[in-house]
């Protein structure tokens, strides 16, 4: 089973009664463990959460802290990319060369990296003082 398959499977559990746009995410940590997330909408929009954020939370809750690979899937005509906030969240826990596979439910995929998704990412090095 691939990381995209994991994301596809968990996507069905998304809570999207308002948009009907279900998203699934799977993160493989450097430990090898796979952590899953789905989007969770809320009637008090925009209080919902993205699938990528859910997968990151699951990863941290399980005791992992570094991303090795990411997959995101949605029922979309083209592979859907993480939102800007999730790009920053992913960059917090993964290096720029981390592989990101974006997929549609009909099987179309696109591969990129965290660095390509968020060039010039704000990171902990910018918080350091001379």
């Amino acid at each position: 089973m691939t990381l995209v398959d994991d994301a596809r499977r968990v996507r069905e559990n998304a809570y999207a009664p308002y948009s009907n746009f279900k998203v699934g995410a799977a993160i493989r940590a450097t430990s090898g463990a796979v952590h899953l997330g789905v989007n969770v909408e809320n009637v008090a929009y925009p209080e919902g959460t993205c699938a990528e954020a859910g997968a990151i939370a699951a990863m941290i809750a399980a005791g992992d802290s570094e991303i090795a690979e990411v997959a995101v899937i949605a029922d979309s005509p083209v592979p859907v990319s993480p939102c800007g906030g999730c790009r920053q969240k992913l960059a917090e826990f993964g290096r720029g060369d981390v592989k990101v596979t974006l997929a549609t439910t009909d099987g179309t995929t696109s591969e990129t990296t965290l660095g390509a998704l968020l060039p010039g990412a704000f990171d902990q090095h910018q918080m350091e003082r001379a």
Side-chain angles (χ1 to χ4, degrees):
M1 196 164 189
T2 70
L3 207 56
V4 171
D5 292 331
D6 290 332
R8 179 186 308 277
R9 182 176 35 77
V10 76
R11 178 188 161 275
E12 294 304 318
N13 296 335
Y15 179 75
Y18 309 106
S19 71
N20 293 314
F21 190 75
K22 293 182 174 187
V23 181
I27 290 175
R28 185 180 325 282
T30 54
S31 71
V34 174
H35 306 284
L36 307 175
V38 296
N39 59 317
V40 178
E41 294 179 350
N42 189 293
V43 70
Y45 181 84
E47 294 303 315
T49 58
C50 297
E52 299 90 339
I56 290 167
M59 177 185 75
I60 297 301
D64 281 320
S65 61
E66 187 175 351
I67 296 172
E69 185 179 356
V70 178
V72 180
I73 190 168
D75 185 11
S76 176
V78 296
V80 67
S81 185
C83 72
C86 284
R87 291 175 191 212
Q88 183 65 50
K89 289 176 179 99
L90 290 165
E92 180 75 15
F93 299 101
R95 295 184 315 268
D97 63 350
V98 165
K99 179 175 134 180
V100 179
T101 303
L102 308 172
T104 67
T105 55
D106 71 3
T108 302
T109 62
S110 174
E111 289 186 2
T112 188
T113 63
L114 285 181
L117 284 174
L118 189 62
F122 181 75
D123 65 23
Q124 68 273 16
H125 296 98
Q126 292 158 330
M127 298 293 291
E128 296 172 358
R129 298 185 190 252

